[in-house]
């Protein structure tokens, strides 16, 4: 079987994590970044640096987009036009309209498109999905998903030019999980608390909260928190209840996982990196193997929901969403 050729675009932290995972999956990687950091990163990991996007795409099977959100559309469309499959760090695009264009173009070209929503690959959330999908807690009724993490200052303002702000960036993790667990979202009511300026002042904190009404009748709450200082460290948790029980997880207290009226077990992050699991699934799919646990429809749904959350927070009104079929 021919070795998978990956064009990695970007040289920041996420790009480093993806690069290490691709190499672990047996791919050959060429790296391009317009900030001059590609050569050093490629040398460190035994990859090859190239001097342009066109050179990166030439002969590649896959492009992995690890650049700021406002550049995703241009790079993805260039890759699709070249017949290159796309992996894109979240969110897929800066707007729902751009995301729709990418998904439609990939479908027309017959190009695979996978969003890098890494939290889906974390064991606690994969296990949660399995429990709910198999009826382990009865019919899903309500869920709460919490994420708190440090992000650099250019990302923390409400209308960040680089990420779109917490409601369209970090909140996507919780939104994607709620969508994965409970299905399509038909109503979003969100609230933002924090700095509006970009970049946010030193030490600023931003919090986004959204209540999602699902087509199934389930309700979910997503809470995301950014801080401009590296303390407290990353913390994630969930609490999901159904007609037959409740399951909860908190990364600060992994031994305290509880499943009321059912089994108990460890939902911890022990084992391989989520990025390793993620890129291995993508690599297998590009090699003709089974499809990974998420695809283009999931990428588009997440952008639509987070864009609705931003609109709701900015206007103070709930936003209704229509349920659209598979892209």
């Amino acid at each position: 079987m021919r070795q998978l050729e990956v064009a990695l675009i970007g040289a920041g932290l996420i790009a480093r994590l993806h690069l290490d995972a691709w190499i672990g999956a047996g791919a050959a990687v060429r790296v391009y970044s317009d900030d001059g950091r590609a050569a050093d990163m490629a040398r460190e990991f035994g990859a090859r640096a190239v001097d342009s996007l066109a050179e990166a795409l030439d002969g590649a099977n896959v492009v992995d987009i690890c650049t700021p959100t406002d550049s995703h559309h241009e790079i993805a469309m260039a890759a699709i036009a070249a017949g290159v499959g796309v992996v894109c760090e979240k969110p897929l695009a800066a707007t729902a309209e751009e995301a729709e264009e990418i998904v439609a173009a990939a479908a027309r070209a017959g190009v695979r498109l996978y969003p890098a929503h890494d939290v889906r690959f974390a064991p606690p959330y994969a296990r949660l999905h399995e429990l709910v999908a198999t009826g382990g807690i009865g019919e899903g009724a309500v869920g709460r998903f919490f994420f708190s993490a440090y992000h650099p200052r250019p990302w923390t303002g409400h209308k960040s030019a680089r990420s779109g702000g917490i409601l369209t960036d970090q909140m996507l993790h919780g939104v994607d999980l709620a969508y994965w667990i409970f299905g399509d979202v038909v109503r979003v009511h969100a609230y933002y608390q924090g700095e509006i300026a970009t970049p946010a002042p030193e030490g600023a904190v931003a919090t986004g909260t959204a209540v999602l009404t699902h087509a199934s009748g389930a309700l979910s709450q997503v809470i995301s928190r950014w801080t401009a200082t590296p303390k407290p460290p990353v913390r994630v948790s969930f609490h999901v209840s159904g007609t037959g029980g409740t399951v909860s997880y908190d990364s600060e207290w992994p031994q305290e996982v509880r499943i009321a009226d059912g089994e108990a077990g460890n939902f911890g992050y022990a084992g391989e990196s989520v990025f390793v699991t993620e890129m291995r699934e993508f690599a297998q799919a590009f090699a003709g193997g089974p499809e990974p646990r998420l695809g283009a429809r999931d990428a588009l749904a997440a952008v639509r929901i987070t864009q609705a959350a931003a609109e709701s927070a900015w206007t103070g009104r709930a936003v209704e969403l229509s349920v659209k079929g598979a892209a």
Side-chain angles (χ1 to χ4, degrees):
M1 183 173 61
R2 180 171 172 263
Q3 187 178 30
L4 191 69
E5 293 280 345
V6 177
L8 180 67
I9 314 301
L13 173 60
I14 289 296
R16 292 176 64 85
L17 295 168
H18 282 211
L19 175 54
D20 185 53
W22 281 119
I23 291 173
V29 185
R30 73 283 297 269
V31 183
Y32 169 68
S33 178
D34 61 8
D35 60 7
R37 294 187 291 171
D40 288 342
M41 190 176 78
R43 189 179 307 111
E44 179 181 348
F45 287 90
R48 177 168 63 94
V50 296
D51 297 325
S52 68
L53 177 61
E55 186 180 356
L57 295 176
D58 185 22
N61 306 115
V62 184
V63 64
D64 183 358
I65 305 170
C66 295
T67 55
T69 305
D70 55 5
S71 65
H72 289 184
H73 179 266
E74 179 181 359
I75 298 169
M77 294 299 282
I80 292 167
V84 177
V86 177
V87 169
C88 187
E89 184 51 49
K90 59 92 183 151
L92 177 61
T95 67
E97 291 74 20
E98 287 187 349
E100 288 166 359
E101 287 181 13
I102 294 170
V103 170
R108 286 194 302 269
V111 168
R112 287 185 174 91
L113 170 62
Y114 303 129
H117 297 177
D118 59 272
V119 177
R120 277 208 195 189
F121 297 84
Y125 297 99
R127 182 69 179 116
L128 171 65
H129 178 265
E130 180 185 20
L131 273 172
V132 175
T134 58
I137 59 171
E139 294 295 324
V142 64
R144 181 181 185 272
F145 302 90
F146 174 80
F147 292 79
S148 177
Y150 162 73
H151 277 251
R153 289 176 64 210
W155 265 256
T156 53
H158 177 57
K159 290 193 169 183
S160 167
R162 305 305 285 167
S163 74
I166 193 170
L167 294 163
T168 55
D169 190 282
Q170 190 199 49
M171 183 173 277
L172 186 142
H173 285 308
V175 159
D176 179 60
L177 291 167
Y179 166 78
W180 194 31
I181 302 303
F182 292 131
D184 289 309
V185 173
V186 295
R187 190 171 189 265
V188 181
H189 200 170
Y191 176 74
Y192 172 83
Q193 183 176 18
E195 288 292 334
I196 294 177
T198 302
E202 193 68 35
V205 171
T207 301
T209 303
V211 175
L212 312 180
T213 302
H214 298 264
S216 65
L219 292 175
S220 58
Q221 181 188 45
V222 177
I223 302 171
S224 292
R225 183 177 185 272
W226 272 349
T227 176
T229 60
K231 293 181 180 180
V234 172
R235 182 180 181 182
V236 299
S237 68
F238 64 73
H239 189 89
V240 174
S241 295
T243 56
T246 296
V247 57
S248 58
Y249 170 80
D250 190 320
S251 61
E252 284 200 352
W253 306 99
Q255 73 277 18
E256 294 293 326
V257 172
R258 299 179 301 279
I259 306 174
D261 302 323
E263 66 176 281
N266 184 3
F267 276 51
Y269 277 82
E272 67 184 10
S273 158
V274 293
F275 299 101
V276 170
T277 308
E278 181 179 41
M279 297 311 156
R280 183 173 62 245
E281 283 196 18
F282 292 158
Q284 290 170 346
F286 281 113
E291 287 296 298
R293 66 192 70 181
L294 78 171
R297 184 179 190 276
D298 306 289
L300 186 52
V303 173
R304 285 172 175 158
I305 297 165
T306 54
Q307 289 289 314
E311 179 184 346
S312 174
W314 206 239
T315 63
R317 298 190 298 270
V319 175
E320 307 292 331
L321 291 174
S322 60
V323 177
K324 299 186 180 183

